[in-house]
Amino acid sequence: MGPRAMSRRFLYCLLRGDAFSPSLAEARTGLLLVDANEPGEVAPSGRYAGEALPYGSAMLVLFDEDLGPGASAVEPLRALQARLPALRVAGATEVSLYLVVAYEKTCDFVLPPEELAALAELGLPLAVSCHPAAS
């Protein structure tokens, strides 16, 4: 076999809800949410540009192989599971996981059994997207 194709994984959780407050969720959970939008905020761009957002949303970065090569996603997934009830109390009614894989030659990647088990325990949908790595 030739040299192994390289790929990098990025896993995040998208939180959304009509009454979801990212600032309240951060305060209750201690999690760092990014790209946060409170319900009613005026959207600077996108579908609701210049209008009040009808929902709140935020992203929780769980795992970035660029920042931690060889690290596991198990602990961040377990931390999310522990805080999921508080996120739901803060209004998160839609919670989904997204795995983005950047690849060089082919989109080959491995999810170890421990990560698969942690993903399954969450009971959340997982979307997987593969993209060529930027040169």
Side-chain angles (χ1 to χ4, degrees):
M1 293 185 89
R4 184 179 157 183
M6 297 297 294
S7 64
R8 293 180 319 279
R9 301 175 302 151
F10 176 73
L11 178 66
Y12 67 95
C13 179
L14 183 61
L15 304 155
R16 187 173 149 173
D18 291 344
F20 176 59
S21 171
S23 60
L24 178 61
E26 282 185 322
R28 288 188 175 171
T29 64
L31 296 171
L32 175 63
L33 303 177
V34 296
D35 296 334
N37 299 292
E38 296 287 336
E41 281 184 356
V42 176
S45 62
R47 178 171 135 189
Y48 295 104
E51 299 176 26
L53 289 169
Y55 56 83
S57 64
M59 182 172 76
L60 171 62
V61 176
L62 296 169
F63 179 78
D64 186 344
E65 240 171 8
D66 281 343
L67 300 177
S72 171
V74 172
E75 288 309 314
L77 289 168
R78 288 184 180 151
L80 172 61
Q81 183 170 9
R83 290 173 177 89
L84 201 50
L87 291 167
R88 293 197 189 280
V89 167
T93 55
E94 297 175 44
V95 182
S96 299
L97 297 171
Y98 294 85
L99 175 62
V100 179
V101 181
Y103 65 92
E104 290 182 11
K105 294 185 181 183
T106 60
C107 188
D108 294 330
F109 63 97
V110 174
L111 295 176
E114 302 81 22
E115 289 181 7
L116 288 171
L119 284 165
E121 286 177 27
L122 280 167
L124 299 173
L126 172 67
V128 179
S129 178
C130 296
H131 303 276
S135 300

